[in-house]
């Protein structure tokens, strides 16, 4: 890549000066305007302050020692000692040709992680709970992470870890029984409903059980929910001690659990299909928990210790770690035990070079303890695992979410309400609005609003602003693509796309757009290495602005016959790069808007 080639030329030049330097501290970055060149470095100012010389004079010496590169038109010293590199017209033309020959996806691939195996866990929705906007966010981030890592040549596997056993399930089962008694219903009545209504009923049952357990604190309900919890655990775990629960046998809890679980998973699949995600692994707490339970039991007295009927891991305050329970007083695995069980399951599924998890940043202290435990139980796996925290999603006027109180915004509700808002805008513009196109635009609006913010920071999504086709939005980028393709669709003669590499001179508007297009490989590489979709978002928005300025200033279809092939090639490569970039964000383009 050109950025790396410029860095190597600087290293070779500095070696000729006999100055001692650290190659790792030579940074080359893209400039923010053509007047400053295409790439720049401040290495002369860094070294001048160390060796006590004039930075501008040192910069001039470095420039004089740089070998000629066909990709670079000129190298200049600017200001107090910046070294600016200007790309040659021939190089820019060659990049356009490569994009047209290879296609955008092949053009941006780097291969720096060729042969590496990467596991990325994301979404992590729980059966018997609402698939809410937090899950929608992690799905968008995880899918973009996965697609970006695939550009590096890595073998990427997508994983989803789902909580299908635990107290929330027991609350749901109790809630089902309560609602059946209250409404004179049966499970057969619920089975007749369509899928969304079935899942809606389970959500109502969960909130009912949670209300009696957490809010009303009804002693009888609490005792029965705890019994149901153990009853379900022993039905799926063979290793925990068996107990008799005659009052729970024969009332249908096993069937409610198994069928209800499948309803939720089926509902999730419809969302994954809509969002464009296909998981390679579906991990479940019902399996990971038992493995973690056994791991904890086997290491009592070594890593864990018993404490008042529970099993705990005593955190080291000097490391910022607090003590956590891994097996509770009911002799059941907690989230912590399930987490180390999940790590074991992952380690058995393959040999991973990286294992990525994306979860709420409020869990940072929890994962510190988990990683400390893994360092003792699974030291090799602990070396490659990485937890990437994300921020909180907010909608205008939204309170803090709470599943048990029903105060959550479901992903389905946000998707559908955004789709309807998009349809209304399309209709207001006198155009036909179909559900498929409107949903694609809605998804583009939501995903881009999530991803344009650095992962870890809080996110705000405003439907009214984020569905607009102007400004820093997903629909704006989608519109840039459709505008470019509309030009291309107006050309019937394919011969006009034959790019002539011997063009004598590029106009400022043309060169500016070509310059932005040529940056895409470096941007994608940076986004991939840094797990930073926001870097790509910023680039695509800037590319869109440059293209729209080009569109306003250059009449492509009415250009003379000498210019038209180049202009069409640039428009086509813009469309290709925009489509590729949006794909890497998990956004599908539409042909008309």
């Amino acid at each position: 890549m050109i950025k790396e080639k410029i860095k190597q030329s600087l290293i070779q030049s500095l070696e000729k000066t006999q100055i001692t330097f650290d190659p790792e501290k030579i940074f080359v970055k893209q400039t923010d305007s053509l007047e400053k060149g295409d790439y720049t470095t401040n290495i002369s100012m860094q070294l001048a302050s160390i060796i006590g010389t004039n930075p501008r004079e040192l910069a001039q010496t470095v420039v004089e020692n740089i070998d000629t590169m066909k990709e670079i038109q000129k190298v200049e010293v600017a200001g107090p000692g910046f070294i600016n590199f200007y790309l040659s017209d021939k190089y820019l033309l060659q990049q356009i040709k490569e994009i047209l020959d290879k296609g955008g996806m092949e053009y941006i691939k780097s291969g720096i992680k060729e042969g590496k195996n990467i596991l990325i866990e994301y979404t992590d929705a729980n059966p018997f709970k609402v698939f809410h906007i937090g899950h929608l966010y992690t799905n968008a981030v995880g899918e973009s992470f996965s697609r970006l890592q695939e550009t590096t040549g890595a073998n990427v596997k997508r994983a989803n870890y789902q909580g299908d056993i635990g107290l929330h399930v027991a609350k749901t089962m109790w809630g089902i029984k309560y609602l059946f008694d209250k409404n004179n219903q049966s499970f057969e009545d619920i089975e007749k409903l369509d899928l969304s209504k079935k899942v809606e009923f389970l959500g109502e049952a969960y909130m009912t059980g949670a209300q009696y357990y957490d809010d009303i604190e009804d002693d009888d309900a609490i005792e029965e929910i705890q019994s149901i919890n153990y009853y379900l655990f022993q039905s799926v775990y063979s290793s925990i001690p068996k107990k008799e629960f005659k009052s729970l046998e024969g009332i249908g809890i096993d069937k409610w659990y198994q069928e209800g679980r499948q309803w939720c998973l089926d509902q999730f699949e419809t969302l994954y299909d809509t969002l464009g995600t296909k998981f390679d692994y579906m991990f479940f707490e019902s399996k990971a928990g038992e493995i973690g339970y056994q791991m904890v039991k086997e290491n009592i007295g070594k890593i864990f210790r018993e404490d008042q009927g529970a099993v705990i891991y005593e955190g080291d305050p000097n490391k910022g770690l607090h003590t956590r329970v891994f097996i509770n007083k009911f002799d059941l695995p907690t989230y912590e035990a399930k987490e180390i069980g999940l790590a074991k399951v992952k380690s058995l599924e393959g040999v991973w070079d990286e294992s990525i998890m994306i979860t709420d940043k409020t869990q940072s202290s929890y994962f510190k303890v988990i990683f400390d435990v893994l360092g003792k139980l699974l030291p090799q796996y602990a070396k490659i695992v990485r937890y990437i925290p994300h921020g909180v999603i907010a909608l205008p006027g939204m309170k803090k979410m709470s599943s048990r109180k029903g105060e959550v915004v479901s992903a389905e509700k946000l998707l559908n309400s955004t789709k309807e808002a998009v349809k209304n805008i399309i209709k207001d513009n006198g155009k036909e609005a179909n559900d498929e196109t409107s949903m694609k635009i809605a998804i583009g609006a939501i995903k881009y609003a999530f991803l344009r913010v650095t992962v870890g920071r809080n996110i705000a999504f405003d439907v009214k602003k984020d569905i607009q086709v102007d400004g820093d939005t997903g629909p704006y980028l989608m519109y840039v693509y459709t505008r470019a393709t509309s030009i291309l669709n107006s050309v019937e003669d394919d011969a006009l796309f034959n790019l002539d590499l011997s063009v004598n001179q590029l106009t400022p508007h043309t060169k500016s757009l070509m310059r932005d297009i040529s940056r895409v490989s470096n941007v994608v590489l940076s986004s991939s290495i840094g797990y930073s979709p926001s870097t790509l978002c910023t680039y695509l928005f800037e590319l869109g602005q440059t293209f729209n300025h080009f569109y306003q200033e250059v009449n492509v279809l009415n250009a003379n016959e000498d210019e038209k092939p180049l202009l069409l090639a640039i428009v086509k490569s813009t469309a290709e790069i925009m489509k590729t970039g949006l794909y890497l964000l998990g956004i599908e383009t539409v042909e008309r808007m």
Side-chain angles (χ1 to χ4, degrees), residues 448-483:
Y448 186 80
F450 287 169
L451 298 174
R452 71 184 172 208
V453 179
T454 303
V455 177
R457 294 182 180 176
N458 294 341
I459 304 100
F461 177 73
D462 188 325
V463 173
K464 290 182 180 179
K465 294 179 181 178
D466 287 316
I467 62 173
Q468 300 300 318
V469 291
D470 54 4
D472 190 10
T473 69
Y476 169 75
L477 300 184
M478 297 170 80
Y479 181 64
V480 169
Y481 171 78
T482 60
R483 175 173 274 186

Side-chain angles (χ1 to χ4, degrees), residues 60-246:
Q60 194 60 51
T61 301
V62 172
V63 169
E64 290 170 359
N65 286 323
I66 289 177
D67 293 333
T68 302
M69 292 182 285
K70 63 181 180 180
E71 298 88 352
I72 302 300
Q73 182 173 311
K74 63 178 177 178
V75 185
E76 288 184 345
V77 176
F82 290 102
I83 301 175
N84 296 338
F85 295 80
Y86 294 78
L87 294 173
S88 68
D89 291 357
K90 187 174 182 179
Y91 171 79
L92 294 174
L93 287 164
Q94 185 61 46
Q95 302 317 298
I96 298 300
K97 187 175 188 307
E98 284 190 30
I99 292 169
L100 298 184
D101 290 346
K102 295 179 178 179
M105 190 57 66
E106 285 301 313
Y107 178 78
I108 53 90
K109 286 183 177 179
S110 64
I112 62 165
K113 293 185 181 180
E114 195 73 46
K116 300 291 185 182
N117 296 312
I118 301 176
L119 181 66
I120 303 180
E121 176 209 324
Y122 58 100
T123 307
D124 297 352
N126 296 320
F128 303 102
K129 280 190 175 183
V130 175
F131 188 115
H132 55 66
I133 59 173
H135 300 125
L136 188 61
Y137 174 75
T138 59
N139 180 272
V141 172
E143 185 60 32
S144 184
F145 278 1
S146 300
R147 296 183 184 196
L148 283 166
Q149 292 309 306
E150 285 170 339
T151 70
T152 68
N155 173 36
V156 178
K157 296 297 182 183
R158 295 158 170 82
N160 192 346
Y161 179 48
Q162 300 173 95
D164 63 335
I165 192 74
L167 201 56
H168 72 286
V169 181
K171 292 174 183 176
T172 305
M173 298 300 107
W174 187 92
I176 290 174
K177 182 175 179 293
Y178 178 91
L179 292 175
F180 284 170
D181 293 340
K182 178 184 176 183
N183 301 325
N184 193 27
Q185 288 177 300
S186 68
F187 196 70
E188 288 70 26
D189 294 329
I190 306 303
E191 286 180 305
K192 295 174 184 177
L193 302 174
D194 63 34
L195 182 60
S196 62
K197 290 295 182 182
K198 289 175 184 175
V199 174
E200 187 177 308
F201 170 77
L202 293 176
E204 183 185 357
Y206 167 71
M207 286 187 287
T208 301
Q211 181 183 17
Y212 276 82
Y213 192 95
D214 299 297
D215 299 330
I216 299 174
E217 296 183 350
D218 182 286
D219 290 339
D220 291 337
I222 290 172
E223 183 178 352
E224 190 167 3
I225 288 170
Q226 289 173 347
S227 296
I228 292 172
N229 193 37
Y230 200 98
Y231 175 83
L232 289 172
F233 265 101
Q234 71 177 19
S235 72
V236 296
Y237 288 1
S238 60
S239 58
I240 66 171
K242 302 299 180 185
K243 297 181 183 179
E244 285 192 5
F245 296 96
K246 291 183 178 179

